[in-house]
Protein backbone atom coordinates (compact mmCIF):
# COMPACT_ATOMS: atom_id res chain seq x y z
CA UNK A 1 0.00 0.00 0.00
CA UNK A 2 1.47 3.41 -0.93
CA UNK A 3 1.57 6.54 1.25
CA UNK A 4 -1.39 8.09 -0.52
CA UNK A 5 -3.52 5.03 0.28
CA UNK A 6 -2.41 5.14 3.92
CA UNK A 7 -3.29 8.82 4.10
CA UNK A 8 -6.73 8.21 2.58
CA UNK A 9 -7.53 5.47 5.08
CA UNK A 10 -6.24 7.62 7.96
CA UNK A 11 -8.43 10.56 6.93
CA UNK A 12 -11.39 8.22 6.54
CA UNK A 13 -10.91 6.80 10.03
CA UNK A 14 -10.62 10.26 11.55
CA UNK A 15 -13.78 11.27 9.74
CA UNK A 16 -15.70 8.18 10.86
CA UNK A 17 -14.70 8.78 14.48
CA UNK A 18 -16.00 12.34 14.23
CA UNK A 19 -19.23 11.47 12.48
CA UNK A 20 -19.73 8.54 14.86
CA UNK A 21 -19.57 10.90 17.80
CA UNK A 22 -22.06 13.22 16.12
CA UNK A 23 -24.45 10.35 15.36
CA UNK A 24 -24.12 9.06 18.91
CA UNK A 25 -25.02 12.49 20.23
CA UNK A 26 -28.10 12.64 18.03
CA UNK A 27 -29.07 9.12 19.11
CA UNK A 28 -28.72 9.94 22.79
CA UNK A 29 -30.79 13.07 22.43
CA UNK A 30 -33.54 10.95 20.90
CA UNK A 31 -33.65 8.20 23.52
CA UNK A 32 -36.55 9.65 25.52
CA UNK A 33 -38.60 10.11 22.37
CA UNK A 34 -37.77 6.58 21.25
CA UNK A 35 -39.16 5.04 24.42
CA UNK A 36 -42.32 7.13 24.41
CA UNK A 37 -43.19 6.27 20.81
CA UNK A 38 -42.77 2.51 21.09
CA UNK A 39 -45.75 0.21 20.57
CA UNK A 40 -47.19 -0.79 23.95
CA UNK A 41 -49.57 -3.34 25.48
CA UNK A 42 -51.55 -6.17 23.90
CA UNK A 43 -53.81 -5.65 20.93
CA UNK A 44 -57.23 -7.34 20.94
CA UNK A 45 -55.98 -9.79 18.31
CA UNK A 46 -52.94 -10.69 20.39
CA UNK A 47 -54.96 -11.06 23.58
CA UNK A 48 -57.27 -13.54 21.81
CA UNK A 49 -54.36 -15.83 20.85
CA UNK A 50 -54.01 -19.04 22.84
CA UNK A 51 -50.33 -19.69 23.56
CA UNK A 52 -48.85 -22.99 22.36
CA UNK A 53 -45.90 -22.50 24.71
CA UNK A 54 -46.39 -21.95 28.45
CA UNK A 55 -44.42 -18.85 29.42
CA UNK A 56 -43.53 -20.55 32.72
CA UNK A 57 -41.42 -23.06 30.80
CA UNK A 58 -39.25 -20.31 29.32
CA UNK A 59 -36.11 -19.07 31.02
CA UNK A 60 -36.88 -15.43 30.21
CA UNK A 61 -40.42 -14.85 28.89
CA UNK A 62 -40.27 -11.06 29.30
CA UNK A 63 -38.16 -9.56 26.52
CA UNK A 64 -37.25 -6.11 25.23
CA UNK A 65 -36.92 -6.17 21.44
CA UNK A 66 -35.80 -3.22 19.39
CA UNK A 67 -36.83 -1.99 15.95
CA UNK A 68 -35.95 1.00 13.76
CA UNK A 69 -38.53 3.24 12.00
CA UNK A 70 -38.14 1.82 8.50
CA UNK A 71 -40.28 -0.61 6.51
CA UNK A 72 -38.47 -3.65 7.79
CA UNK A 73 -39.97 -3.13 11.24
CA UNK A 74 -43.02 -4.82 9.64
CA UNK A 75 -42.43 -8.36 11.00
CA UNK A 76 -41.93 -6.94 14.51
CA UNK A 77 -45.11 -4.89 14.21
CA UNK A 78 -47.03 -7.93 12.95
CA UNK A 79 -45.63 -10.26 15.64
CA UNK A 80 -46.85 -7.73 18.23
CA UNK A 81 -50.24 -6.96 16.64
CA UNK A 82 -51.21 -10.51 15.63
CA UNK A 83 -49.95 -12.18 18.79
CA UNK A 84 -47.13 -14.31 17.39
CA UNK A 85 -44.98 -13.34 20.37
CA UNK A 86 -47.79 -14.33 22.74
CA UNK A 87 -48.35 -17.59 20.82
CA UNK A 88 -44.87 -18.73 21.78
CA UNK A 89 -45.08 -17.72 25.43
CA UNK A 90 -43.32 -14.37 25.10
CA UNK A 91 -44.24 -11.03 26.63
CA UNK A 92 -42.36 -8.63 24.37
CA UNK A 93 -41.86 -4.94 24.95
CA UNK A 94 -41.01 -3.31 21.63
CA UNK A 95 -38.55 -0.43 21.77
CA UNK A 96 -38.30 2.10 18.95
CA UNK A 97 -34.60 2.76 18.26
CA UNK A 98 -33.20 6.05 17.07
CA UNK A 99 -30.70 4.55 14.61
CA UNK A 100 -29.07 1.33 13.43
CA UNK A 101 -26.12 2.02 15.71
CA UNK A 102 -28.36 2.15 18.80
CA UNK A 103 -30.20 -0.96 17.60
CA UNK A 104 -26.91 -2.89 17.37
CA UNK A 105 -25.33 -1.42 20.51
CA UNK A 106 -28.51 -1.94 22.50
CA UNK A 107 -28.00 -5.69 22.06
CA UNK A 108 -24.27 -5.58 22.75
CA UNK A 109 -24.64 -3.61 25.99
CA UNK A 110 -27.67 -5.57 27.23
CA UNK A 111 -30.34 -2.87 26.96
CA UNK A 112 -32.14 -5.02 24.35
CA UNK A 113 -32.57 -8.80 24.27
CA UNK A 114 -32.87 -8.81 20.49
CA UNK A 115 -33.13 -6.32 17.66
CA UNK A 116 -32.79 -6.11 13.88
CA UNK A 117 -29.29 -5.27 12.64
CA UNK A 118 -27.98 -4.25 9.24
CA UNK A 119 -26.27 -7.05 7.29
CA UNK A 120 -22.61 -6.73 8.08
CA UNK A 121 -23.13 -5.68 11.71
CA UNK A 122 -22.88 -9.26 13.03
CA UNK A 123 -19.95 -10.22 10.84
CA UNK A 124 -18.03 -7.05 11.62
CA UNK A 125 -18.66 -7.30 15.35
CA UNK A 126 -17.10 -10.75 15.17
CA UNK A 127 -14.02 -9.61 13.22
CA UNK A 128 -13.67 -6.25 14.98
CA UNK A 129 -13.93 -4.21 11.79
CA UNK A 130 -13.39 -0.47 11.88
CA UNK A 131 -16.53 1.30 13.07
CA UNK A 132 -17.91 -1.88 14.68
CA UNK A 133 -17.72 -2.87 18.34
CA UNK A 134 -15.92 -6.19 18.85
CA UNK A 135 -18.53 -8.47 20.43
CA UNK A 136 -19.97 -12.03 20.20
CA UNK A 137 -23.04 -10.91 18.27
CA UNK A 138 -25.15 -13.53 16.47
CA UNK A 139 -27.67 -13.57 13.65
CA UNK A 140 -30.69 -15.77 14.34
CA UNK A 141 -32.39 -15.37 10.95
CA UNK A 142 -32.86 -13.00 8.03
CA UNK A 143 -35.69 -10.53 8.61
CA UNK A 144 -35.98 -9.56 4.95
CA UNK A 145 -34.13 -9.20 1.67
CA UNK A 146 -34.16 -6.10 -0.54
CA UNK A 147 -36.44 -3.19 0.49
CA UNK A 148 -33.72 -0.53 0.28
CA UNK A 149 -32.51 1.96 -2.31
CA UNK A 150 -30.13 4.77 -3.21
CA UNK A 151 -31.46 8.30 -3.51
CA UNK A 152 -29.72 11.16 -5.36
CA UNK A 153 -30.64 14.83 -5.06
CA UNK A 154 -32.22 17.11 -7.66
CA UNK A 155 -28.87 18.69 -8.55
CA UNK A 156 -27.62 15.28 -9.68
CA UNK A 157 -30.76 14.86 -11.77
CA UNK A 158 -30.32 18.31 -13.30
CA UNK A 159 -26.72 17.42 -14.14
CA UNK A 160 -27.95 14.42 -16.16
CA UNK A 161 -27.81 11.44 -13.81
CA UNK A 162 -30.76 9.03 -14.13
CA UNK A 163 -32.02 5.79 -12.53
CA UNK A 164 -29.69 2.85 -13.07
CA UNK A 165 -32.22 0.85 -15.06
CA UNK A 166 -32.34 3.66 -17.63
CA UNK A 167 -28.55 3.58 -18.00
CA UNK A 168 -28.81 -0.15 -18.52
CA UNK A 169 -31.57 0.20 -21.10
CA UNK A 170 -29.73 2.91 -23.03
CA UNK A 171 -26.12 1.72 -22.85
CA UNK A 172 -26.28 -2.04 -22.26
CA UNK A 173 -22.82 -3.44 -21.45
CA UNK A 174 -21.39 0.09 -21.23
CA UNK A 175 -23.91 1.25 -18.62
CA UNK A 176 -21.44 1.23 -15.71
CA UNK A 177 -18.89 3.16 -17.76
CA UNK A 178 -21.45 5.82 -18.73
CA UNK A 179 -22.79 6.12 -15.20
CA UNK A 180 -19.25 6.45 -13.86
CA UNK A 181 -18.51 9.25 -16.32
CA UNK A 182 -21.61 11.21 -15.27
CA UNK A 183 -21.08 10.50 -11.57
CA UNK A 184 -17.45 11.64 -11.61
CA UNK A 185 -18.22 14.72 -13.69
CA UNK A 186 -20.88 15.82 -11.19
CA UNK A 187 -18.67 15.43 -8.12
CA UNK A 188 -15.68 17.08 -9.81
CA UNK A 189 -17.70 20.28 -10.02
CA UNK A 190 -18.67 20.21 -6.33
CA UNK A 191 -16.77 21.73 -3.38
CA UNK A 192 -15.46 19.25 -0.81
CA UNK A 193 -18.58 19.62 1.34
CA UNK A 194 -20.68 18.80 -1.74
CA UNK A 195 -19.19 15.33 -2.29
CA UNK A 196 -21.10 13.35 0.32
CA UNK A 197 -22.96 10.05 0.15
CA UNK A 198 -24.67 9.00 3.41
CA UNK A 199 -25.43 5.55 4.77
CA UNK A 200 -27.10 4.35 7.96
CA UNK A 201 -24.15 2.55 9.55
CA UNK A 202 -20.41 2.16 9.01
CA UNK A 203 -19.02 -1.28 8.16
CA UNK A 204 -22.33 -2.66 6.89
CA UNK A 205 -23.92 -3.67 3.62
CA UNK A 206 -25.22 -0.20 2.64
CA UNK A 207 -21.74 1.29 2.87
CA UNK A 208 -20.40 -1.66 0.90
CA UNK A 209 -23.05 -1.23 -1.79
CA UNK A 210 -22.31 2.43 -2.51
CA UNK A 211 -18.59 1.73 -2.55
CA UNK A 212 -19.16 -1.37 -4.70
CA UNK A 213 -21.25 0.36 -7.35
CA UNK A 214 -19.03 3.43 -7.56
CA UNK A 215 -15.88 1.31 -7.84
CA UNK A 216 -17.54 -0.88 -10.48
CA UNK A 217 -18.14 2.32 -12.43
CA UNK A 218 -14.49 3.31 -12.08
CA UNK A 219 -14.99 5.93 -9.35
CA UNK A 220 -12.69 5.49 -6.34
CA UNK A 221 -14.83 5.91 -3.18
CA UNK A 222 -11.71 6.69 -1.14
CA UNK A 223 -10.75 9.66 -3.27
CA UNK A 224 -13.76 11.07 -5.09
CA UNK A 225 -16.45 11.42 -2.39
CA UNK A 226 -16.99 11.00 1.36
CA UNK A 227 -19.22 8.58 3.24
CA UNK A 228 -21.04 9.79 6.35
CA UNK A 229 -23.42 8.11 8.80
CA UNK A 230 -26.97 9.46 9.24
CA UNK A 231 -30.01 7.84 10.97
CA UNK A 232 -32.80 6.90 8.51
CA UNK A 233 -35.45 9.50 9.55
CA UNK A 234 -32.92 12.31 9.03
CA UNK A 235 -31.97 11.42 5.44
CA UNK A 236 -34.54 13.49 3.56
CA UNK A 237 -34.02 16.60 5.69
CA UNK A 238 -30.25 16.44 5.26
CA UNK A 239 -30.61 16.29 1.47
CA UNK A 240 -33.01 19.22 1.57
CA UNK A 241 -30.55 21.42 3.47
CA UNK A 242 -27.64 20.36 1.27
CA UNK A 243 -25.71 18.40 3.92
CA UNK A 244 -25.34 15.50 1.46
CA UNK A 245 -26.01 14.77 -2.18
CA UNK A 246 -27.01 11.11 -2.01
CA UNK A 247 -27.85 8.40 0.48
CA UNK A 248 -28.72 4.74 0.83
CA UNK A 249 -31.39 3.65 3.30
CA UNK A 250 -34.31 1.27 3.73
CA UNK A 251 -37.77 2.36 2.65
CA UNK A 252 -39.86 4.46 3.12
CA UNK A 253 -37.09 7.08 3.25
CA UNK A 254 -36.31 6.87 -0.48
CA UNK A 255 -39.94 7.06 -1.55
CA UNK A 256 -40.42 10.10 0.69
CA UNK A 257 -37.77 12.01 -1.30
CA UNK A 258 -39.28 11.77 -4.79
CA UNK A 259 -41.43 14.24 -6.73
CA UNK A 260 -45.00 14.23 -5.47
CA UNK A 261 -43.76 13.59 -1.94
CA UNK A 262 -40.90 15.71 -0.56
CA UNK A 263 -39.52 16.46 -4.04
CA UNK A 264 -35.84 16.61 -3.06
CA UNK A 265 -34.47 13.68 -5.05
CA UNK A 266 -35.01 10.53 -7.12
CA UNK A 267 -34.19 6.85 -6.64
CA UNK A 268 -31.01 5.99 -8.50
CA UNK A 269 -31.12 2.24 -7.80
CA UNK A 270 -32.65 -0.30 -5.50
CA UNK A 271 -30.18 -2.46 -3.60
CA UNK A 272 -31.43 -5.49 -5.50
CA UNK A 273 -29.91 -3.96 -8.63
CA UNK A 274 -26.47 -4.15 -7.00
CA UNK A 275 -26.92 -7.70 -5.68
CA UNK A 276 -30.13 -9.55 -6.50
CA UNK A 277 -31.27 -11.59 -3.52
CA UNK A 278 -29.02 -9.93 -0.95
CA UNK A 279 -29.89 -10.11 2.77
CA UNK A 280 -30.79 -6.72 4.20
CA UNK A 281 -31.76 -7.09 7.85
CA UNK A 282 -30.91 -9.84 10.35
CA UNK A 283 -32.34 -10.63 13.77
CA UNK A 284 -29.47 -9.97 16.17
CA UNK A 285 -28.90 -11.43 19.63
CA UNK A 286 -25.86 -11.94 21.81
CA UNK A 287 -24.31 -15.39 22.01
CA UNK A 288 -24.96 -15.37 25.77
CA UNK A 289 -28.70 -15.02 25.09
CA UNK A 290 -28.67 -18.25 23.06
CA UNK A 291 -26.63 -20.08 25.71
CA UNK A 292 -28.53 -18.82 28.77
CA UNK A 293 -32.07 -18.84 27.35
CA UNK A 294 -32.22 -21.60 24.70
CA UNK A 295 -35.99 -22.20 24.99
CA UNK A 296 -36.71 -18.46 24.90
CA UNK A 297 -34.47 -18.11 21.86
CA UNK A 298 -36.37 -20.82 20.00
CA UNK A 299 -39.70 -19.17 20.84
CA UNK A 300 -38.46 -15.80 19.60
CA UNK A 301 -37.21 -17.20 16.29
CA UNK A 302 -40.45 -19.13 15.73
CA UNK A 303 -42.54 -16.01 16.37
CA UNK A 304 -40.43 -13.99 13.93
CA UNK A 305 -40.50 -16.68 11.22
CA UNK A 306 -44.30 -16.77 11.40
CA UNK A 307 -44.45 -12.97 11.32
CA UNK A 308 -42.26 -12.93 8.20
CA UNK A 309 -44.50 -15.55 6.60
CA UNK A 310 -47.52 -13.36 7.33
CA UNK A 311 -45.85 -10.26 5.83
CA UNK A 312 -44.89 -12.26 2.75
CA UNK A 313 -48.43 -13.19 1.69
CA UNK A 314 -49.81 -10.88 -1.02
CA UNK A 315 -53.24 -10.74 0.64
CA UNK A 316 -51.68 -9.34 3.84
CA UNK A 317 -49.37 -6.70 2.39
CA UNK A 318 -51.88 -3.85 2.34
CA UNK A 319 -52.54 -4.41 6.04
CA UNK A 320 -48.80 -4.54 6.71
CA UNK A 321 -48.15 -1.32 4.80
CA UNK A 322 -50.92 0.44 6.74
CA UNK A 323 -49.82 -0.86 10.14
CA UNK A 324 -46.28 0.45 9.87
CA UNK A 325 -47.46 3.98 9.06
CA UNK A 326 -48.44 4.23 12.73
CA UNK A 327 -46.47 6.73 14.80
CA UNK A 328 -45.15 3.85 16.89
CA UNK A 329 -43.42 2.36 13.85
CA UNK A 330 -42.30 4.51 10.86
CA UNK A 331 -44.71 7.41 11.46
CA UNK A 332 -44.68 7.79 7.69
CA UNK A 333 -48.20 9.10 7.15
CA UNK A 334 -48.76 11.77 4.49
CA UNK A 335 -49.88 15.11 5.90
CA UNK A 336 -52.02 16.14 2.95
CA UNK A 337 -55.75 15.53 3.55
CA UNK A 338 -57.12 12.75 1.39
CA UNK A 339 -53.70 11.30 0.58
CA UNK A 340 -53.36 7.52 0.47
CA UNK A 341 -52.31 6.32 3.94
CA UNK A 342 -49.67 4.00 2.46
CA UNK A 343 -48.27 6.59 0.04
CA UNK A 344 -44.79 6.24 1.56
CA UNK A 345 -44.75 2.69 2.98
CA UNK A 346 -46.80 0.99 0.26
CA UNK A 347 -44.50 1.06 -2.81
CA UNK A 348 -41.77 -1.16 -1.34
CA UNK A 349 -44.21 -3.44 0.53
CA UNK A 350 -46.79 -3.83 -2.26
CA UNK A 351 -44.19 -3.84 -5.02
CA UNK A 352 -45.37 -0.86 -7.12
CA UNK A 353 -42.11 1.05 -6.76
CA UNK A 354 -41.75 4.59 -8.14
CA UNK A 355 -38.21 5.83 -8.88
CA UNK A 356 -39.46 9.38 -9.29
CA UNK A 357 -37.71 12.01 -11.40
CA UNK A 358 -38.27 15.64 -12.38
CA UNK A 359 -39.51 15.30 -15.95
CA UNK A 360 -43.10 14.17 -15.33
CA UNK A 361 -42.39 10.63 -16.53
CA UNK A 362 -44.00 7.74 -14.63
CA UNK A 363 -41.21 5.48 -13.37
CA UNK A 364 -43.35 3.04 -11.39
CA UNK A 365 -42.17 -0.55 -11.73
CA UNK A 366 -44.20 -3.44 -10.34
CA UNK A 367 -42.18 -6.40 -9.06
CA UNK A 368 -42.67 -9.24 -6.61
CA UNK A 369 -39.14 -8.93 -5.21
CA UNK A 370 -39.18 -5.29 -4.06
CA UNK A 371 -39.16 -6.49 -0.43
CA UNK A 372 -38.86 -10.20 0.35
CA UNK A 373 -40.00 -11.40 3.76
CA UNK A 374 -40.27 -15.19 3.27
CA UNK A 375 -41.30 -16.59 -0.11
CA UNK A 376 -38.61 -16.04 -2.75
CA UNK A 377 -39.90 -14.92 -6.18
CA UNK A 378 -39.03 -17.02 -9.23
CA UNK A 379 -36.68 -14.42 -10.74
CA UNK A 380 -34.15 -15.00 -7.95
CA UNK A 381 -31.88 -18.09 -8.07
CA UNK A 382 -32.58 -20.32 -5.09
CA UNK A 383 -31.64 -23.71 -3.72
CA UNK A 384 -34.05 -26.52 -2.76
CA UNK A 385 -35.80 -25.65 0.50
CA UNK A 386 -34.59 -22.06 0.46
CA UNK A 387 -36.76 -19.30 1.85
CA UNK A 388 -35.86 -15.72 2.67
CA UNK A 389 -35.44 -16.11 6.44
CA UNK A 390 -32.72 -18.75 6.00
CA UNK A 391 -29.12 -17.69 6.71
CA UNK A 392 -26.38 -18.47 4.16
CA UNK A 393 -23.03 -18.41 5.97
CA UNK A 394 -21.31 -17.84 2.63
CA UNK A 395 -22.85 -14.37 2.64
CA UNK A 396 -21.09 -13.65 5.90
CA UNK A 397 -17.86 -14.44 4.02
CA UNK A 398 -18.85 -12.00 1.25
CA UNK A 399 -19.30 -9.28 3.87
CA UNK A 400 -15.83 -10.06 5.23
CA UNK A 401 -14.35 -9.63 1.74
CA UNK A 402 -15.86 -6.16 1.63
CA UNK A 403 -14.55 -5.26 5.09
CA UNK A 404 -11.08 -6.23 3.85
CA UNK A 405 -11.58 -4.54 0.49
CA UNK A 406 -12.30 -1.18 2.08
CA UNK A 407 -9.59 -1.34 4.73
CA UNK A 408 -11.85 -1.92 7.73
CA UNK A 409 -9.75 -4.97 8.60
CA UNK A 410 -6.11 -5.46 7.61
CA UNK A 411 -6.69 -8.70 5.73
CA UNK A 412 -9.31 -11.36 5.16
CA UNK A 413 -9.40 -13.52 8.31
CA UNK A 414 -7.94 -17.03 8.00
CA UNK A 415 -10.57 -18.34 10.44
CA UNK A 416 -13.40 -16.84 8.40
CA UNK A 417 -15.42 -20.06 8.25
CA UNK A 418 -15.29 -20.41 12.03
CA UNK A 419 -16.33 -16.78 12.50
CA UNK A 420 -19.23 -17.27 10.08
CA UNK A 421 -20.37 -20.37 11.99
CA UNK A 422 -20.18 -18.56 15.33
CA UNK A 423 -22.05 -15.50 14.08
CA UNK A 424 -24.63 -16.75 11.57
CA UNK A 425 -26.52 -19.48 13.43
CA UNK A 426 -27.83 -21.42 10.45
CA UNK A 427 -27.43 -24.64 12.48
CA UNK A 428 -29.97 -23.56 15.09
CA UNK A 429 -32.20 -21.98 12.46
CA UNK A 430 -32.55 -25.36 10.67
CA UNK A 431 -33.58 -27.07 13.90
CA UNK A 432 -36.10 -24.39 14.82
CA UNK A 433 -37.57 -24.19 11.31
CA UNK A 434 -37.88 -28.00 11.23
CA UNK A 435 -39.99 -27.84 14.41
CA UNK A 436 -42.35 -25.59 12.44
CA UNK A 437 -42.40 -28.12 9.58
CA UNK A 438 -40.19 -25.93 7.38
CA UNK A 439 -37.44 -27.41 5.23
CA UNK A 440 -34.16 -25.54 4.87
CA UNK A 441 -31.18 -25.93 2.54
CA UNK A 442 -28.76 -28.60 3.78
CA UNK A 443 -25.66 -26.61 2.95
CA UNK A 444 -24.31 -23.45 4.63
CA UNK A 445 -22.46 -22.10 1.60
CA UNK A 446 -23.47 -21.41 -1.96
CA UNK A 447 -21.93 -19.80 -5.03
CA UNK A 448 -23.47 -16.47 -6.02
CA UNK A 449 -23.67 -16.46 -9.85
CA UNK A 450 -22.28 -13.52 -11.85
CA UNK A 451 -25.66 -12.34 -13.14
CA UNK A 452 -26.95 -11.42 -9.65
CA UNK A 453 -24.29 -8.69 -9.27
CA UNK A 454 -24.33 -5.34 -11.05
CA UNK A 455 -20.81 -5.91 -12.45
CA UNK A 456 -21.38 -9.58 -13.37
CA UNK A 457 -18.66 -10.72 -10.97
CA UNK A 458 -19.78 -13.88 -9.18
CA UNK A 459 -18.73 -14.91 -5.68
CA UNK A 460 -17.32 -18.36 -4.92
CA UNK A 461 -17.07 -18.79 -1.12
CA UNK A 462 -14.33 -21.41 -1.56
CA UNK A 463 -11.94 -18.68 -2.74
CA UNK A 464 -12.86 -15.41 -0.99
CA UNK A 465 -9.35 -13.95 -1.19
CA UNK A 466 -9.10 -14.65 -4.90
CA UNK A 467 -12.40 -12.83 -5.25
CA UNK A 468 -11.12 -9.93 -3.16
CA UNK A 469 -7.89 -9.65 -5.17
CA UNK A 470 -9.85 -9.55 -8.43
CA UNK A 471 -11.02 -5.98 -7.71
CA UNK A 472 -8.80 -3.21 -9.06
CA UNK A 473 -10.14 -0.59 -6.64
CA UNK A 474 -9.51 -1.74 -3.05
CA UNK A 475 -7.60 -0.73 0.05
CA UNK A 476 -5.19 -3.68 0.09
CA UNK A 477 -4.36 -7.01 -1.52
CA UNK A 478 -4.20 -9.83 1.07
CA UNK A 479 -2.19 -13.02 0.67
CA UNK A 480 -4.08 -15.58 -1.40
CA UNK A 481 -5.36 -18.75 0.23
CA UNK A 482 -8.36 -21.05 -0.23
CA UNK A 483 -11.23 -21.97 2.04
CA UNK A 484 -12.15 -25.63 2.45
Amino acid sequence: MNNADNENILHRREFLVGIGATAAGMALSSCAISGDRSAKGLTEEAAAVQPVVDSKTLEKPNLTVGYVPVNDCAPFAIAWKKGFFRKYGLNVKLNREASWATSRDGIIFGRLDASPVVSGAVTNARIGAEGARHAPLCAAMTIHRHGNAMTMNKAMWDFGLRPWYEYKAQYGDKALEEFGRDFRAFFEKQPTEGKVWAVVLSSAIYEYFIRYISAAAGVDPFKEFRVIIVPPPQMVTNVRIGAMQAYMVAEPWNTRAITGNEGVGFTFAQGKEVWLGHPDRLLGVMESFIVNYPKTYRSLVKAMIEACQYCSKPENRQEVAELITDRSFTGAKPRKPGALATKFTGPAILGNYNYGGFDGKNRTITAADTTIFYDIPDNIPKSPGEHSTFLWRSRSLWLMTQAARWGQIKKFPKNAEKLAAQGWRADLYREIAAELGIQSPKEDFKVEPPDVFIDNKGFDPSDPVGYLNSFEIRANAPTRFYMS
Side-chain angles (χ1 to χ4, degrees), residues 110-139:
R111 180 173 56 82
L112 302 172
D113 294 297
S115 198
V117 293
V118 179
S119 290
V122 169
T123 300
N124 286 332
R126 288 281 176 176
I127 61 179
E130 171 192 295
R133 297 184 183 277
H134 204 167
L137 197 59
C138 295

Side-chain angles (χ1 to χ4, degrees), residues 71-72 144-149 206 249-252 254 270-272 278 280-281 348 369-372:
N71 275 12
D72 49 68
H144 74 95
R145 303 187 195 181
H146 301 172
N148 53 64
Y206 289 10
V249 69
E251 289 294 340
N254 299 284
Q270 294 184 64
K272 68 176 185 175
H278 72 271
D280 185 295
R281 218 68 72 198
D369 66 351
T370 309
T371 304
I372 305 170

Side-chain angles (χ1 to χ4, degrees), residues 309-320 349-350 368 375:
Q309 289 176 321
Y310 189 96
C311 292
S312 185
K313 292 178 181 176
E315 63 268 26
N316 296 336
R317 291 205 171 215
Q318 180 66 34
E319 176 191 4
V320 171
I349 299 291
L350 302 175
D375 297 306

Side-chain angles (χ1 to χ4, degrees), residues 260 333-341 343-344:
K333 284 185 178 179
R335 296 176 182 176
K336 293 181 180 179
L340 190 67
K343 183 179 183 181
F344 301 136

